[in-house]
């Protein structure tokens, strides 16, 4: 915490020095959303390059003066929390003054900018994000406050902890981890008691694009157990994008890639080639929208697809057919086909990429 306080004090000192020299204070933040600042590294995923281009948030410019003020406001809130060893969610910060901040997304962006500017992970700033992910299966751990959590015996899923860094005593006999894109599929597998039937496993869902805590938990489980991690996604560009976030990270959080990405993640399904192999009826598939086409084209250009020839092939099948499918399409074969046939066969015979 002394490191965090010192980093914030240095920023404020810079502001005061500028004022003393009668200059307009400026905050400098790396340009997080620029692909030119990102490099792809096999072992890490997408990471920010040292000396990447930066943007200046000036106090004397009408376009950025408000943002400058909000950054100082949030820095002062973080400073107080670190000093008093208290925590707040991004939502708490927004609701502390909704008129001032205007929207939740403004708060979210500023906190990521501050984290990037200070080169300090968000958890160390005492800012927690509200968790939306779930975990179930063969796993137990102790939360930071000493609460013991057992995911094995619950028929319902456990919410991903809001302070993943703080959990300890992780124990599991799981043979693999299954990341499920959607809540509905996750609940279905839970109802079918999937994580006990095939072999002990841990199931996680970020319920769409995963939040930070879900990604941190996947990484923590990988570090703790070093067991295979498979993804079960819709056969559409959005599903592929989500899988890539778990595996290689995202551009906006590339400055934290080392804590968040798991490059060993495998694509288990639903593969575009599965649709043909399983004779899924064309009527059950959904035609691409213009947005799907653009998203797929942008994914195909990404640096990590070049080193994944099998993924590349699957994306080409998808692009050629201009059709997508949700995991639920497997119920057109039979209602429990996913948990009874599809997943067990894939896991047994190595049907992943």
């Amino acid at each position: 915490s002394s490191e965090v306080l010192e980093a914030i004090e240095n920023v404020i000192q810079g502001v005061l020095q500028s004022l003393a020299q009668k200059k307009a204070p400026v905050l400098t933040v790396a340009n997080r959303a620029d692909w030119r600042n990102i490099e792809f590294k096999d072992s890490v995923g997408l990471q920010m390059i040292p000396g990447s281009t930066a943007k200046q948030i000036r106090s004397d410019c009408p376009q950025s003066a408000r943002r400058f003020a909000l950054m100082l406001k949030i820095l002062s809130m973080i400073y107080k929390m670190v000093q008093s060893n208290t925590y707040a969610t991004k939502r708490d910060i927004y609701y502390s003054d909704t008129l001032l901040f205007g929207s939740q997304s403004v708060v979210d962006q500023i906190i990521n900018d501050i984290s990037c500017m200070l080169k300090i992970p968000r958890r160390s700033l005492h800012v927690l994000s509200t968790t939306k992910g779930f975990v179930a299966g063969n796993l137990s751990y102790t939360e930071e406050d000493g609460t013991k959590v057992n995911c094995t015996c619950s028929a319902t899923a456990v919410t991903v902890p809001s302070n993943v860094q703080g959990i300890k005593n992780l124990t599991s006999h799981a043979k693999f981890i299954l990341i499920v894109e959607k809540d509905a599929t996750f609940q279905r597998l839970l109802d079918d008691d999937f994580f006990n039937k095939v072999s002990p496993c841990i199931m996680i869902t970020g319920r769409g694009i995963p939040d930070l805590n879900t990604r941190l938990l996947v990484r923590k489980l990988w570090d703790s157990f070093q067991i295979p991690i498979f993804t079960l996604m819709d056969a559409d560009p959005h599903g592929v994008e989500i899988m890539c976030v778990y595996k290689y990270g995202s551009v906006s959080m590339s400055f934290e890639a080392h804590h968040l990405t798991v490059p060993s993640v495998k694509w288990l399904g639903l593969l575009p080639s599965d649709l043909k192999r399983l004779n899924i009826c064309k009527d059950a598939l959904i035609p691409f929208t213009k947005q799907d086409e653009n998203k797929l084209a942008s994914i195909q250009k990404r640096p990590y697809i070049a080193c994944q020839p099998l993924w590349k092939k699957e994306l080409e099948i998808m692009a050629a057919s201009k059709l997508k499918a949700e995991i639920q399409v497997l119920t057109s074969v039979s209602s429990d086909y996913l948990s009874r046939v599809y997943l067990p066969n894939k896991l047994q015979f190595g049907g992943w990429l």
Side-chain angles (χ1 to χ4, degrees), residues 1 53 109 126 128 141 203 225 238 257 259 272 307 321 346:
S1 63
T53 60
Q109 280 172 3
H126 286 228
L128 305 170
Y141 55 85
M203 297 195 319
F225 305 123
H238 192 63
H259 310 285
C307 69
S321 73
K346 284 241 163 187

Side-chain angles (χ1 to χ4, degrees), residues 114-126:
I114 287 173
S115 173
C116 185
M117 175 176 77
L118 302 178
K119 295 186 172 54
I120 289 169
R122 194 161 77 194
R123 302 158 300 289
S124 305
L125 302 175
H126 286 228

